[in-house]
Amino acid sequence: MTEAALIGMGAMGSALARALLHSGHRVTVWNRTSAKAEPLARDGAVVAPSAAAAVSASPVVVVCVDNYEVTKTILGAKEVAPALAGRLLVQLSTGNPQEARDGEAWARERKADYLDGAILAYPSDIGTPAATILVSGAEPGFRKSEPLLRNLAGNLTYLGEQVGAASALDCATLSYLTAGIVGFLHGALICQSEGLRVDDFGSMLAEVTPVIGAELKHLGEVVQSGAYEQPQAALLAYAGAVERLVGQARDAGINAELPAFASGLFRRAMAAGHAKEEVAALIKVLRGSALREARLGGTE
Ligand SMILES: NC(=O)c1ccc[n+]([C@@H]2O[C@H](COP(=O)([O-])OP(=O)(O)OC[C@H]3O[C@@H](n4cnc5c(N)ncnc54)[C@H](OP(=O)(O)O)[C@@H]3O)[C@@H](O)[C@H]2O)c1
């Protein structure tokens, strides 16, 4: 018996296995393409000849494969599924909240405990303070796996028993990053239109990251409390800034899709009477359009 079985020796699964091995844990690994599992033997892993053998070897089974469907394909196979009973399945493949709920139900049907996780890190960060792993699900499962999981990420956060919480926060973070990447690249176009270096722009933003972080924290508090009155800077001021972006794009002849999109949201917020509220009041427009889209079957 080993302490943990790891299923999936891709870039991330291999990093997870190595971090556990380097912190002194006994680990069994399995991968569909066995050549990717074999290098782990040099680090001290037991390489299982089959998924069923890997699952049978440990009380905790950590899965990190492409997605939840792949997980079910591997663990739902008739020679593997019976071995799950009485074990803890820790799902570290990326998914969404509904998949987490389905995964928990699926594990329970097979008499296994379940913990859902989201990795917010690159493989090279695993096992270091730079790695964040969010987990959610029934607390006994977290307590059982915590001594292992603490070795994977300096920032291991247990979000409680709501099993979809980890992947929900992962999706929410992805939303922020998506908009941030597009925003950064539009900023890069602005820099280039004025002959400025984009790497300097990136460095400058890295310097002001704590200020941006404080603003995001404030936005979160405003939306959570619903206290949109008495803003430090009103939505009106941000709307003016967005119109400056529209004008700059026009003058410089650069792509204007991002400013045009943001301008549309701010104009609707102003028209709806939110000009003197906190900029976070923009969420009222997003909520409203979501409702309208639902009524119109996905189109506005
Ligand atoms: N890499 C990152 O930076 C990162 C960051 C955060 C989260 N994650 C998440 O971690 C998970 C794994 O990512 P990765 O980077 O390790 O991907 P990867 O290197 O492409 O590895 C994918 C893994 O899934 C396995 N797999 C795929 N289809 C399969 C099937 N039908 N049957 C059996 N095994 C199958 C692969 O096995 P084979 O080797 O046999 O193909 C391999 O072990 C993903 O959910 C990803 O979103 C990754």
Side-chain angles (χ1 to χ4, degrees):
M1 290 293 284
T2 54
E3 291 162 86
L6 279 94
I7 307 284
M9 289 298 109
M12 186 54 87
S14 296
L16 298 174
R18 283 206 173 85
L20 287 181
L21 290 164
H22 292 171
S23 53
H25 293 284
R26 287 170 295 117
V27 168
T28 299
V29 300
W30 178 82
N31 195 59
R32 175 182 62 174
T33 308
S34 58
K36 287 191 200 163
E38 278 149 19
L40 274 299
R42 284 196 291 278
D43 293 286
V46 176
V47 180
S50 65
V55 170
S56 302
S58 305
V60 178
V61 179
V62 179
V63 186
C64 189
V65 291
D66 272 3
N67 53 49
Y68 287 45
E69 271 315 303
V70 169
T71 303
K72 283 186 189 170
T73 303
I74 297 169
L75 298 181
K78 64 179 186 320
E79 67 281 12
V80 185
L84 279 175
R87 302 184 198 280
L88 170 66
L89 170 59
V90 180
Q91 172 62 282
L92 292 184
S93 315
T94 304
N96 66 38
Q98 187 56 49
E99 288 177 311
R101 287 187 282 277
D102 293 346
E104 182 180 58
W106 187 91
R108 282 193 179 146
E109 281 165 20
R110 285 151 189 84
K111 302 194 171 13
D113 294 323
Y114 183 84
L115 193 69
D116 199 79
I119 302 173
L120 281 68
Y122 293 113
S124 57
D125 293 330
I126 294 300
T128 76
T132 291
I133 297 183
L134 308 174
V135 288
S136 50
E139 186 160 354
F142 174 62
R143 295 289 161 225
K144 185 174 178 180
S145 55
E146 188 181 2
L148 293 165
L149 299 179
R150 289 253 169 246
N151 297 296
L152 301 179
N155 180 22
L156 174 75
T157 303
Y158 174 57
L159 297 166
E161 300 223 337
Q162 186 183 333
V163 72
S167 54
L169 268 187
D170 188 38
C171 288
T173 305
L174 184 62
S175 161
Y176 170 68
L177 288 178
T178 303
I181 289 167
V182 178
F184 176 82
L185 295 174
H186 183 80
L189 288 184
I190 296 174
C191 290
Q192 289 178 330
S193 73
E194 292 293 326
L196 300 175
R197 291 179 62 103
V198 177
D199 53 357
D200 286 346
F201 171 49
S203 301
M204 187 208 79
L205 284 182
E207 292 288 320
V208 299
T209 293
V211 179
I212 296 171
E215 175 60 12
L216 295 173
K217 192 165 175 290
H218 173 68
L219 288 180
E221 287 162 359
V222 170
V223 173
Q224 189 63 43
S225 68
Y228 295 97
E229 280 73 37
Q230 297 174 343
Q232 276 201 80
L235 189 142
L236 174 68
Y238 286 87
V242 171
E243 292 311 316
R244 267 203 309 286
L245 283 183
V246 172
Q248 192 280 337
R250 187 184 52 236
D251 294 347
I254 61 173
N255 181 293
E257 286 172 273
L258 177 66
F261 170 68
S263 169
L265 292 178
F266 275 92
R267 281 169 189 241
R268 278 155 59 198
M270 303 273 282
H274 304 306
K276 293 186 177 158
E277 297 183 6
E278 284 270 5
V279 69
L282 203 61
I283 197 169
K284 298 176 186 179
V285 174
L286 295 176
R287 283 186 186 131
S289 69
L291 288 176
R292 227 173 8 258
E293 279 169 29
R295 273 202 300 274
L296 296 175
T299 53
E300 258 206 293

